[in-house]
Amino acid sequence: MFLQRRNRILRKGSAIRSLVAETTLTPNDFIVPLFIDEGINVKTEIASMPGYYRNSLDITVKEVRELRGMGLKSVLIFVKSKDELKDNTGKEAWNPDGLMQKSIKAIKNAVPEIVVMTDVALDPYSSYGHDGIVKDGEIVNDETVEALVKMSISHAMAGADIVAPSDMMDGRIGAIRKGLEENNFTRVGIMSYSAKYASCFYGPFRDALDSAPGFGDKKTYQMDYSNRIEAIKETLMDVEEGADIVMVKPALAYLDIIREVKNAVNIPVSAYNISGEYAMIKAAAKMGWLNEDKAILETLTAIKRAGADLIATYFAKDAVRLLSA
Ligand code: PBG
């Protein structure tokens, strides 16, 4: 058989395959989400996220040193707030001595080079488990935005490098940018969860922080998964309002959105390989139905190939280990 072109030539061995690989992962791609708990020497495995833990701050600081030693450059922090600190204003969120603020200081103090990103949303502090303030059964926008601005400023004051609003209220990026400017935090960035969908795949995360909504769902603020064009609208508005990095979330069922967003903006795009995506691989691997290591690398490569410049993932350490093997 005569063939003018034989595409398999470039696939014939692993060396040539690496030479022509279009997408390669590096430790610089990853953001490591961390769950922080009150107490000392507390390490709790999250039932629906086997192998992932909620740690007290002392253990977290050691963990961050280890991450840095592995070549990882950034962490995204979430705290579990005590029930007695939760209310409908979310005011614990901007307590200068709150667990989040203490954590930012301790981490920056111990590992100054690590880029500290912080989750900005009221759900861990809300007695209703919603990302905003509730009035007459509704999540009110403008008052929530005021709270998010206070929260962001308190994170900046504690030393956060980047605040990451994950709440999907309207106008919050512009308001946070203005708040940071007015308070002279001109070196603090904003990573906006700009296209965040109302997803069932957040389930395990809500177990981790005990932050499931007490009534209803999050569909009046997070996006409808039927929509694609809306993701571009949301993202372009956030860029306009001052986001430094935009994010698509979840990642795996939304690779098309990651690509569209990547093509639409000229700032870095991140994607969040979320808790449910982690849980699916862990569960299938435990059953012996998937090779976990291969599934991790294939998944993360696909998210990067789709257009993500940065990937928040619970698999960051595994990926670095696998990449250096
Ligand atoms: C809270 C928040 C959520 C996640 C990140 N920030 C959950 C939610 O919106 O209910 C999900 C992360 C994950 O599932 O890994 N605003």
Side-chain angles (χ1 to χ4, degrees):
M1 187 175 179
F2 167 82
L3 283 181
Q4 191 70 45
R5 305 197 58 88
R6 289 188 180 271
N7 295 342
R8 292 181 53 194
I9 290 168
L10 297 183
R11 296 180 205 134
K12 77 178 176 188
S14 68
I16 198 154
R17 286 196 297 271
S18 350
L19 288 176
V20 301
E22 297 173 37
T23 310
T24 40
L25 295 169
T26 86
N28 298 334
D29 298 327
F30 305 126
I31 300 168
V32 188
L34 298 176
F35 300 125
I36 306 180
D37 219 338
E38 296 281 359
I40 294 175
N41 205 19
V42 179
K43 186 176 175 107
T44 316
E45 188 170 28
I46 296 148
S48 46
M49 298 179 72
Y52 221 79
Y53 298 84
R54 211 171 52 229
N55 292 321
S56 51
L57 188 49
D58 53 323
I59 298 183
T60 303
V61 167
K62 282 187 211 144
E63 173 77 9
V64 176
R65 280 208 187 90
E66 185 188 331
L67 296 171
R68 186 67 191 94
M70 294 174 76
L72 288 155
K73 310 274 166 34
S74 73
V75 293
L76 174 56
I77 47 189
F78 298 91
V79 298
K80 180 172 185 296
S81 194
K82 288 192 242 164
D83 277 344
E84 60 265 32
L85 297 174
K86 298 186 184 188
D87 62 22
N88 188 32
T89 66
K91 65 179 183 310
E92 176 62 15
W94 55 91
N95 174 0
D97 302 313
L99 181 56
M100 175 59 104
Q101 290 75 5
K102 279 194 290 187
S103 301
I104 299 167
K105 281 183 208 151
I107 293 171
K108 279 312 277 190
N109 200 25
V111 194
E113 330 76 79
I114 203 95
V115 176
V116 170
M117 307 186 177
T118 58
D119 187 63
V120 172
L122 294 185
D123 50 328
Y125 305 98
S126 156
S127 40
Y128 292 105
H130 272 290
D131 289 23
I133 293 163
V134 179
K135 280 205 172 147
D136 301 326
E138 283 195 26
I139 291 77
V140 292
N141 195 83
D142 301 9
E143 280 173 56
T144 300
V145 169
E146 283 173 33
L148 298 171
V149 172
K150 287 188 242 174
M151 187 177 183
S152 301
I153 292 169
S154 86
H155 292 183
M157 213 173 281
D161 296 292
I162 295 186
V163 293
S166 66
D167 55 285
M168 290 299 279
M169 298 300 129
D170 288 330
R172 89 271 206 224
I173 300 302
I176 291 171
R177 175 60 79 200
K178 183 162 169 277
L180 292 173
E181 284 290 315
E182 286 171 354
N183 288 275
N184 259 319
F185 292 114
T186 52
R187 284 150 51 89
V188 174
I190 304 173
M191 177 168 77
S192 168
Y193 289 62
S194 48
K196 176 171 178 179
Y197 287 87
S199 168
C200 75
F201 292 99
Y202 303 146
F205 173 96
R206 294 174 187 170
D207 291 343
L209 295 189
D210 185 24
S211 63
F215 69 89
D217 52 38
K218 298 193 175 186
K219 289 182 184 167
T220 68
Y221 42 108
Q222 298 178 348
M223 285 177 51
D224 181 348
Y225 56 68
S226 317
N227 296 352
R228 176 171 61 85
I229 296 162
E230 189 185 8
I232 306 302
K233 176 182 77 175
E234 284 281 1
T235 305
L236 291 179
M237 283 177 69
D238 286 359
V239 174
E240 189 82 359
E241 289 177 33
D244 298 285
I245 302 173
V246 287
M247 182 191 276
V248 175
K249 175 183 181 183
L252 267 192
Y254 299 82
L255 295 175
D256 56 331
I257 309 297
I258 297 174
R259 171 47 55 187
E260 292 248 7
V261 165
K262 177 68 183 165
N263 290 347
V265 302
N266 56 9
I267 64 173
V269 175
S270 60
Y272 201 138
N273 176 216
I274 59 162
S275 57
E277 299 169 6
Y278 175 89
M280 286 196 292
I281 288 183
K282 284 287 178 182
K286 189 171 171 203
M287 296 297 288
W289 295 341
L290 272 184
N291 176 310
E292 179 172 337
D293 290 351
K294 290 182 177 169
I296 291 171
L297 289 179
E298 185 172 335
T299 298
L300 294 173
T301 305
I303 295 170
K304 187 169 179 184
R305 188 195 64 225
D309 301 294
L310 290 164
I311 306 170
T313 177
Y314 304 99
F315 288 123
K317 275 169 89 173
D318 300 281
V320 172
R321 176 178 49 78
L322 294 167
L323 292 171
S324 56

